[in-house]
Structure formats: C-alpha cells, structure tokens
Amino acid sequence: MLYDVRTYTCRPGTIKKHLALYAEHGFDTQSRHLGKPLAYMQTETGDVNSYMHIWVYENAADREARRQALQKDPAWSDYLKRSADAGYLIRQENRLMTPVAFFQP
C-alpha cells in the first residue's frame, strides 16, 4: 500500500471558506477518481489554519493512473481555477508513505 499524505495551510481566517469551496466543487470529483480518502481532517490545535488528507493506493503506478485521470477531468480543472482565484492556500506538503513491516492496515 502507498499512502499519499497531504497537508495544506490556508491564509489565516480563510480555512472555512476554502473547505466549503472544496466541499462544493472538488470533493466529489476527486473522490470519483481517487476513491474515498482514508482521512480528511482539520487541525484542532497547533496550526489551526491547516488540514490534511490521506489517499490510499495499491502502488505508485495505481496512484499515477488515478491522478492522471483526475487531472484530465474538466470538473477538477474548474475546481483548481476556483481555488487559485480565491487564493486561500499558501502552502502544500505531500508525503508518500508505506506501512512498516509489523503493521498491516
């Protein structure tokens, strides 16, 4: 299994607006291509302007194929444009992770 762990940081005071924009215009499209995320969470303590989500893939080839299909979807392109125009995001961190040998999810 390959876990795509993504952390995003929003400009202060905009996280609720950003998540509302994604819920309305991005989540269904992204989920249609990538499957449902393992987790989608907002920070309660620490950097409260950040959130993270985790997508699960069989391997790197599976991730690449699904993400390529997502990038070709006009609805996703529309969401990305809306997000860029809104300007809520200021940082993104992606980590591809695999489980350790003694842990089988």
Side-chain angles (χ1 to χ4, degrees):
M1 299 301 268
L2 181 66
Y3 294 86
D4 188 351
V5 180
R6 294 171 169 251
T7 303
Y8 295 83
T9 305
C10 295
R11 285 188 299 110
T14 66
I15 193 166
K16 288 182 181 178
K17 292 176 185 177
H18 172 72
L19 291 174
L21 177 71
Y22 175 72
E24 183 176 350
H25 299 284
F27 183 72
D28 288 342
T29 301
Q30 193 171 31
S31 295
R32 186 170 53 251
H33 292 284
L34 305 185
K36 295 294 181 193
L38 175 66
Y40 213 108
M41 298 177 282
Q42 183 175 349
T43 304
E44 278 289 315
T45 60
D47 184 356
V48 296
N49 298 303
S50 67
Y51 68 97
M52 58 89 62
H53 42 100
I54 303 171
W55 304 88
V56 181
Y57 305 97
E58 290 298 318
N59 51 43
D62 177 42
R63 178 182 178 271
E64 182 178 349
R66 288 201 237 170
R67 291 201 52 83
Q68 281 182 0
L70 174 65
Q71 295 303 320
K72 292 176 184 176
D73 190 319
W76 184 245
S77 296
D78 177 64
Y79 164 71
L80 291 178
K81 182 178 182 337
R82 289 173 187 265
S83 180
D85 289 348
Y88 301 139
L89 292 176
I90 58 174
R91 186 166 191 264
Q92 174 181 349
E93 178 184 345
N94 296 8
R95 290 176 289 157
L96 297 179
M97 304 183 80
T98 57
V100 294
F102 59 81
F103 178 77
Q104 294 302 315

